[in-house]
Amino acid sequence: MRQHQHEPEVDVKARSRAARTRMPIVGTALLAIAGTIATVAAGCGGGAGAAPKITTTARAGVAPVPPGQGAYFGAWVPPEGGLPSASASASPSGSPSESPSESPSESPSDSGAPSGSPSGKDAGKPGMAPVAGFEQRLGRRLDIVQSYRGWKSDFPGALEKSVADGNRYLLLTWDGGDAREIVQGEHDDLIAKRARAVKALGKPVFLRWSRDMDRASEQKRVHSAADFTAAWKHLRAIFKREGVDNVAWVWCPTARGFNGANAGSYYPGDDQVDWICADAQPGADYDYRDLSEALKLFTEWARGRHKPIMIAEFGVPKSYGPRRAEWLREAAKTLQDPQVKAVVYFNSDEQAKNARDRRRSYSVTGDTHAMSALRELATTPYFNPRNLPVTSGG
């Protein structure tokens, strides 16, 4: 899919209290272990088997942690008018893009009713109109809003600031640079600048850096699994040096990469990763394929890790026609797995090679039956762990 701050140290309790006043942290809070490692006994959802013991290096109350039960629901919703071609931000298909208007974001709106339902005021925030419109059709507010930025792009932009100012988590997908250059320190200043910018947001952020690193098309910059893991550790060390603790690190290859491409070899280690993730499209080479089949080898691999799973890009192709709703209802069953703690729908057609390419078009907007099925998924209690208000949608 999409290719796509320094402050004084305070004690953990004070930091947690401050974070809770800015944004409610969902589910059972993780207990800090040795100041950095947290463990949560995740609740059982609709999947089979007992919930695994889940660990994370993220700081409880400051960075995003898994909900005690169920999974967050989020989406990528492209900006209005498609993706402009006038910036260094990487789009899902690799073409440049930028969020709309870089005007200053509004003040935080964590409190006040109705805090969890779609509202007009959110539509008025910079970059948020498409998200608010999608939420209105969905019948609930998103837990996670995804954004994409190129390796050398400045961020946060309008959308990221607006998301951080509200009651949603930001999933920032940041494209990767040349792994060997990163390890050699050629990009240290850029990385440190971005680390400070993320820290300055002051809200929990999912950071998905250099996703789909296992793709053959990425090898020119990734070079090898060893180069990638070294670059990951180098990047994370700089974030640590800058005192960034509001980030949860999301490692995200393709689900398909576990079928022969040895995607697992790119894993930096349990002490380096907070969330294990996969991008899981059915594949344009299939006439019809359930999500369970696309995810099978990835989830088998993930069972050996005590980490929460995020499915950061999944979507049902328009080529499935009247079976799209059926596909989404089956996907809802597959995703109710006790280790799956976040799912993010890719509501976009931007991967399509042309207007007739329906196998890479995933938007459900305008498809009454598919939108209804996605609404069913999103409003299922398992995928609404914050118990946000639900409307009829439309």
Side-chain angles (χ1 to χ4, degrees), residues 87-128:
S87 98
S89 205
S91 79
S93 57
S95 59
S97 71
E98 183 54 277
S99 296
S101 173
E102 291 296 326
S103 57
S105 58
E106 298 179 5
S107 59
S109 57
D110 297 337
S111 60
S115 63
S117 59
S119 63
K121 68 178 180 180
D122 291 323
K125 291 183 178 181
M128 285 296 290

Side-chain angles (χ1 to χ4, degrees), residues 22 68 78 81 89 96 126 148 186 188 220 225 233 237 245 257 296 311 366 385:
R22 295 190 297 261
S89 205
Y148 292 83
E186 294 182 28
D188 283 6
K220 185 175 181 180
K233 293 174 182 178
D245 58 6
K296 183 178 179 180
I311 307 303

